[in-house]
Amino acid sequence: QVTLVESGGGLVQAGDSLTLSCAVSGRTFSMYAMAWFRQAPGKDLEFVAYINRVGDSIYYEDFVKGRFTISRDNAKNTLYLGLNSLKPEDTAVYYCAARRPNTSNVRIESSYDYWGQGTQVTVSS
C-alpha cells in the first residue's frame, strides 16, 4: 500500500507564491510517476502537471504557462509543486497522484493508482 500526504496549502493573495509537498510512503518512491491535479469548487478534477520516475520528462497543462514547477526528490520520497504568480482562479484543492509505469495519457486521472487527500489553496484578489 502506498500513502500520499500533501501539505503546504494555505490562504494567499494574488501574485504570491506557495510550494506544495507530497510525501510518499509504503513503496519505493522512484517506482512511480507522479502528477498534480486540482479541483476548484463546483468543477471537475483537472490535470496540472506530471513528472516521470526520474524527473527528466515533465508535462504541464496549458493554464500553468510557466507559473508552476513540478519536481521530485527521490532520496526524500517527496514530490513538489511550486506555485508562482498565483491568481484567484487557482483556488482549488490540489491532489498528488502516483502511478505505476504505463502508457496511458498522463492527463487521465483513472490512470493513477494512488491519491493523496488534498491540500487547499485559496487565492484572494
Side-chain angles (χ1 to χ4, degrees):
Q1 183 66 27
V2 177
T3 302
L4 287 67
V5 180
E6 300 97 335
S7 61
L11 172 62
V12 297
Q13 294 186 331
D16 285 352
S17 299
L18 279 175
T19 298
L20 307 183
S21 300
C22 172
V24 180
S25 61
R27 291 287 178 92
T28 304
F29 179 56
S30 59
M31 291 174 54
Y32 299 94
M34 303 294 297
W36 288 95
F37 288 77
R38 70 183 188 183
Q39 187 167 27
K43 295 188 177 181
D44 293 335
L45 191 68
E46 65 177 348
F47 170 80
V48 176
Y50 165 91
I51 187 168
N52 71 347
R53 289 181 292 168
V54 297
D56 61 359
S57 180
I58 289 174
Y59 300 98
Y60 295 102
E61 190 55 87
D62 289 344
F63 64 75
V64 170
K65 294 181 180 178
R67 299 185 299 123
F68 296 177
T69 303
I70 190 171
S71 61
R72 65 189 295 161
D73 186 336
N74 285 351
K76 295 183 177 180
N77 292 349
T78 304
L79 173 74
Y80 302 99
L81 185 66
L83 311 174
N84 296 308
S85 302
L86 283 163
K87 305 174 181 180
E89 51 264 43
D90 294 318
T91 294
V93 178
Y94 284 72
Y95 299 92
C96 61
R99 74 180 198 180
R100 292 179 289 265
N102 68 74
T103 58
S104 299
N105 188 306
V106 301
R107 290 170 171 79
I108 298 176
E109 61 187 84
S110 61
S111 73
Y112 291 83
D113 302 296
Y114 303 100
W115 291 80
Q117 82 292 345
T119 185
Q120 176 72 49
V121 173
T122 303
V123 185
S124 63
S125 57

